[in-house]
Amino acid sequence: MEIGALPGGHIAAAMMEYLGCECTFFAPAKDDDAIMAAYRRAREEGPAEGFVPILVKADKFLWEWLFMNARPAGADRDSCSFGPKRVAELRRQALALPLEEGSALSERMRGWRREPPQETPGMEGGEVNDCFAGYWDVFSGMTAPLILAKVPVKNPWEVFAYLPFGGWNSCPDTVRLMTTAKYWFEQYGAVPAVISHDTLEFDLPSPVSRENALELAAEQYGFCSDLNEGSDWHLGVLADTLCRSTVWYFWWD
């Protein structure tokens, strides 16, 4: 059966053509065993074969963000060309960008937050997060139509040159996504793993230490202020989660 005939297949086919790399399509399923087996295998093969795998939700809203981020500044939406040459040039430009180095980034990230969090009474109240959530459909209880893309880049943070999904509301733009992902990979081994139109998840080899968790929580709150879950939330809750978890979840409104 053609991919386009499957649920979500038409969007997936367009997105795979846009990505221009080896991709595998997963139709909705009740469990993600096949998805995770393929992803873990790709993670093992990637360094030797020259790619970084990432799971991409076949999402019409993500497709719209990719289209909009391909427009030249000031261009009219209806007149924008979204052809292979334009996409290739945008990737080349993104991969050539100088990215900030060093510990100064951590301080700057903490300054990105929209409002200060509540005073942190201590590291407690967190939960274990070791499973991806960004490709599940909460209404059907099944996985969403999904693409496993083997992005032909050397470094994990460079996947955002191929999937520039940010730059809207408080969601970081491509430069900030790449800079932050580079820093977190070098510090913690965190690798971008799942992207939808409003969700980003990282995969880690192991949880961060308790000694580093609170500073990292402040960085993550600056990166994604929507982590704030309400009046009882504080950075200690996030820090406690981080030192228990091998998956980091970000969501923007």
Side-chain angles (χ1 to χ4, degrees):
M1 182 178 290
E2 293 291 331
I3 288 175
L6 298 171
H10 293 292
I11 297 255
M15 291 181 69
M16 288 190 287
E17 183 178 1
Y18 163 85
L19 284 162
C21 62
E22 182 181 344
C23 294
T24 302
F25 176 71
F26 294 91
K30 293 182 179 179
D31 64 63
D32 63 351
D33 293 350
I35 294 167
M36 288 306 304
Y39 175 74
R40 294 300 178 201
R41 185 166 57 250
R43 281 290 305 274
E44 293 178 1
E45 297 169 349
E49 298 187 15
F51 66 82
V52 173
I54 191 157
L55 294 164
V56 185
K57 188 176 177 181
D59 181 330
K60 67 178 182 178
F61 298 108
L62 175 58
W63 181 239
E64 289 179 2
W65 290 133
L66 296 175
F67 178 86
M68 292 183 69
N69 282 332
R71 288 185 297 164
D76 179 79
R77 177 171 183 168
D78 295 333
S79 65
C80 176
S81 173
F82 192 48
K85 289 184 178 179
R86 172 66 182 164
V87 171
E89 176 60 16
L90 288 171
R91 289 173 182 165
R92 186 195 66 77
Q93 292 174 4
L95 291 171
L97 290 170
L99 301 181
E100 185 176 357
E101 301 281 353
S103 60
L105 177 62
S106 174
E107 184 176 349
R108 289 205 322 107
M109 288 171 67
R110 284 175 280 175
W112 290 343
R113 56 184 183 239
R114 293 178 297 187
E115 57 187 24
Q118 291 189 15
E119 182 181 351
T120 303
M123 289 173 52
E124 58 184 18
E127 298 179 351
V128 175
N129 184 15
D130 56 9
C131 298
F132 297 138
Y135 52 66
W136 287 97
D137 184 327
V138 296
F139 298 104
S140 69
M142 301 176 70
T143 61
L146 194 68
I147 299 162
L148 172 59
K150 297 181 177 180
V151 182
V153 293
K154 178 181 179 181
N155 301 304
W157 57 89
E158 293 172 332
V159 297
F160 297 113
Y162 277 70
L163 289 157
F165 78 102
W168 50 273
N169 292 354
S170 62
C171 184
D173 61 17
T174 300
V175 176
R176 190 171 289 183
L177 287 167
M178 291 178 69
T179 301
T180 305
K182 179 176 185 290
Y183 175 70
W184 283 341
F185 176 73
E186 293 172 344
Q187 293 294 112
Y188 306 108
V191 175
V194 180
I195 289 178
S196 75
H197 76 281
D198 60 358
T199 300
L200 171 63
E201 291 179 283
F202 285 81
D203 189 34
L204 286 90
S206 60
V208 302
S209 68
R210 292 192 73 83
E211 290 78 11
N212 293 325
L214 197 56
E215 180 175 326
L216 175 61
E219 293 172 0
Q220 292 198 359
Y221 184 57
F223 180 70
C224 178
S225 294
D226 288 312
L227 290 172
N228 189 328
E229 296 179 353
S231 59
D232 295 330
W233 186 91
H234 54 77
L235 286 182
V237 175
L238 176 57
D240 192 39
T241 294
L242 293 174
C243 62
R244 298 168 182 260
S245 303
T246 55
V247 172
W248 296 345
Y249 178 88
F250 300 96
W251 172 83
W252 290 272
D253 193 359

